[in-house]
Amino acid sequence: MNRTLYALCGADKSRPFSPHVWKTMLSLAHKGLDYYTKAVGFTQIPTIENGATTLVPVLRDGDQLVRDSFDIALYLDSAYPDRPSLFGGEGGQAMARFVESWSQLTLHPALVRIILMDIHDSLAPADQAFFRTSREPRFGMSLEAVAETGIGELKTFAAKLEPLRTTLKKQPFIGGETPLFADYIVFGPLQWARIVSPKTILEPGDPVLDWFERCLDLHNGAGRSVTAA
Ligand SMILES: N[C@@H](CCC(=O)N[C@@H](CS)C(=O)NCC(=O)O)C(=O)O
């Protein structure tokens, strides 16, 4: 096997938590492709592949180096066309872009505030210092002040999922009867929260929680390979 996925971890190097890396982990499982996971902390990312990136995921596949979860999914479908498709064709690719935008603009900004201190607390000391000095200017306030806003975000988070909830009353996956990359796009941030935070993000009985549990079961329970916080 000549395939390596660089995955962001906290102090515990057996617990990859990045939402974007999880999109790629399920993409590789969907394609039935084996890989080594190389755990990195935030401060190690610039050393990956001789400085090839500032962000993860990064996939080394033989002589190919591919960055960005969406580009990796496109690459996998193009490099391994005989394996189950992640997009189901060009229309699926285009619609997955919408799902990515919705997830990035609606789910990620709320979730990061809800779980910010849990992320911080899970990191190794050098990464905690980096996380504080890089995130506080971005938010314009201390991590603790951002986390205060997360209390309100948690109360309104379920409502943000209503478009997905309504869809899941008609079909088991965003991809239809079976999952596609669009499912993994939304799975990623919820898995991020599951792994770093003990907070209840989805209430029992919510169709979105039922879908999330179905996603955790996919590909021999790949999503359950890391336990909940
Ligand atoms: N659009 C990229 C986003 C990747 C991204 O933001 N990765 C974060 C981890 S979740 C990262 O590497 N952050 C490094 C840093 O903030 O220094 C993708 O989909 O792969």
Side-chain angles (χ1 to χ4, degrees), residues 94-104 174 182-183 185-186:
M95 280 187 272
R97 287 288 185 197
F98 168 78
V99 175
E100 184 188 52
S101 299
W102 174 68
S103 178
Q104 289 287 133
I174 300 172
D183 288 273
I185 290 172
V186 183

Side-chain angles (χ1 to χ4, degrees), residues 50-211:
N50 302 315
T53 186
T54 55
L55 299 174
V56 288
V58 176
L59 179 70
R60 160 66 66 188
D61 188 12
D63 60 0
Q64 298 294 311
L65 189 67
V66 196
R67 304 169 194 81
D68 186 273
S69 57
F70 205 107
D71 286 347
I72 293 171
L74 291 171
Y75 162 77
L76 292 175
D77 256 10
S78 136
Y80 302 97
D82 298 337
R83 307 238 175 176
S85 173
L86 283 159
F87 293 100
E90 276 184 29
Q93 283 179 19
M95 280 187 272
R97 287 288 185 197
F98 168 78
V99 175
E100 184 188 52
S101 299
W102 174 68
S103 178
Q104 289 287 133
L105 295 172
T106 306
L107 306 185
H108 283 247
L111 275 176
V112 75
R113 287 172 180 268
I114 294 168
I115 66 172
L116 193 74
M117 289 315 298
D118 298 312
I119 300 171
H120 172 271
D121 294 348
S122 76
L123 301 176
D127 291 331
Q128 283 184 344
F130 166 82
F131 192 71
R132 186 173 287 281
T133 53
S134 60
R135 267 49 180 183
E136 289 187 341
R138 206 177 283 179
F139 285 107
M141 60 181 93
S142 70
L143 295 185
E144 288 75 9
V146 180
E148 281 292 313
T149 69
I151 297 168
E153 290 290 352
L154 183 55
K155 291 188 184 129
T156 56
F157 186 70
K160 294 188 162 72
L161 293 162
E162 197 53 33
L164 176 58
R165 192 170 293 116
T166 305
T167 305
L168 292 171
K169 287 177 186 159
K170 302 192 178 81
Q171 59 197 57
F173 291 101
I174 300 172
E177 286 303 311
T178 55
L180 289 173
F181 184 60
D183 288 273
Y184 309 149
I185 290 172
V186 183
F187 172 84
L190 294 171
Q191 174 77 327
W192 178 36
R194 171 182 170 271
I195 289 171
V196 300
S197 176
K199 295 186 180 75
T200 300
I201 306 290
L202 300 169
E203 295 293 340
D206 186 338
V208 178
L209 178 58
D210 297 341
W211 162 84

